[in-house]
Amino acid sequence: MDGNRKKCVLIHPMTKVKGVLGTLINKRGLISPNFPWRQYMNLKIKVKYFDDELIRLNKLEIGDWIDIRAAESVDLSYGEFKLIPLGIAIDLPEGYEAHVVPRSSTFKKWGIIETNSMGIIDESYKGDNDQWFFPAYALRRTTIEKNDRICQFRIVEKMPEVEIEEVEHLGNRDRNGHGSTGRN
């Protein structure tokens, strides 16, 4: 092993998912950051649908995002804003949040943008009436049909608790400000 890396030891198996999963602990008793957790981890989410005709969520084999569909047909004029209902409520696991963004084809097909760039849905928004919405702003006249795939989401771990400390100096080298990583 590389001299800079800590030696890790398999302590005990925890569960069987795609083989035996174990906890890797380094010499200092810390969980190894190099263990490939994602390949062994499956999250179960509960989904409530607000409409029986809505096509159900489906995790595609390729990619990390799950497509979401419009729960109703919507006509929008240029410059019009509308919260488009997505027809779902989800019980996210504790410690996780959902990031909702437009699909790459959403603007091309319908000329709409998500007004807040990315929607964040935390684990507390999980009641029976906590339906998800897509905040759309139309840049041309458009019609979105019920069951059109207009956005997508992924589930990510929430930021850990942080403590904020005010300092006079950060003690790091300056990079010369915003946009300074390269030259054209």
Side-chain angles (χ1 to χ4, degrees):
M1 238 194 231
D2 181 333
N4 295 331
R5 296 177 76 188
K6 301 292 182 198
K7 184 177 179 183
C8 294
V9 201
L10 183 62
I11 301 299
H12 61 78
M14 292 170 56
T15 185
K16 284 189 175 183
V17 179
K18 297 181 185 174
V20 175
L21 169 65
T23 304
L24 287 176
I25 309 284
N26 66 21
K27 284 183 176 180
R28 295 184 347 213
L30 301 173
I31 296 174
S32 171
N34 300 322
F35 188 73
W37 295 106
R38 291 189 75 188
Q39 71 180 352
Y40 297 105
M41 206 168 110
N42 286 325
L43 290 177
K44 183 176 184 175
I45 59 172
K46 297 179 198 171
V47 180
K48 177 186 174 185
Y49 294 91
F50 289 84
D51 185 337
D52 289 335
E53 295 175 6
L54 194 63
I55 295 174
R56 299 320 196 220
L57 295 179
N58 184 23
K59 170 68 176 85
L60 301 175
E61 291 296 318
I62 299 173
D64 290 336
W65 296 82
I66 300 171
D67 289 340
I68 313 176
R69 299 169 183 272
E72 64 182 39
S73 294
V74 175
D75 289 318
L76 294 170
S77 298
Y78 170 78
E80 188 176 354
F81 169 81
K82 177 159 178 71
L83 287 173
I84 301 174
L86 300 174
I88 58 172
I90 296 182
D91 182 358
L92 294 169
E94 186 176 333
Y96 290 86
E97 63 191 21
H99 293 180
V100 181
V101 298
R103 295 181 73 238
S104 60
S105 61
T106 298
F107 181 77
K108 182 174 125 182
K109 287 183 179 179
W110 298 287
I112 60 173
I113 58 173
E114 185 173 6
T115 57
N116 55 343
S117 300
M118 177 173 71
I120 307 291
I121 300 173
D122 67 36
E123 69 200 38
S124 67
Y125 190 72
K126 59 183 173 185
D128 280 333
N129 295 307
D130 289 339
Q131 180 174 193
W132 291 16
F133 290 86
F134 182 84
Y137 181 78
L139 295 173
R140 67 175 188 243
R141 181 164 176 63
T142 190
T143 299
I144 299 160
E145 300 295 338
K146 181 177 184 173
N147 278 315
D148 279 344
R149 295 180 301 160
I150 60 171
C151 57
Q152 58 191 341
F153 79 98
R154 74 182 321 172
I155 299 171
V156 296
E157 285 186 87
K158 289 174 58 176
M159 183 173 76
E161 291 293 321
V162 295
E163 180 181 327
I164 299 173
E165 175 185 358
E166 183 175 336
V167 297
E168 290 292 322
H169 302 283
L170 296 174
N172 302 309
R173 192 185 80 167
D174 288 337
R175 283 188 26 200
N176 299 319
H178 181 73
S180 63
T181 59
R183 303 269 189 252
N184 287 339

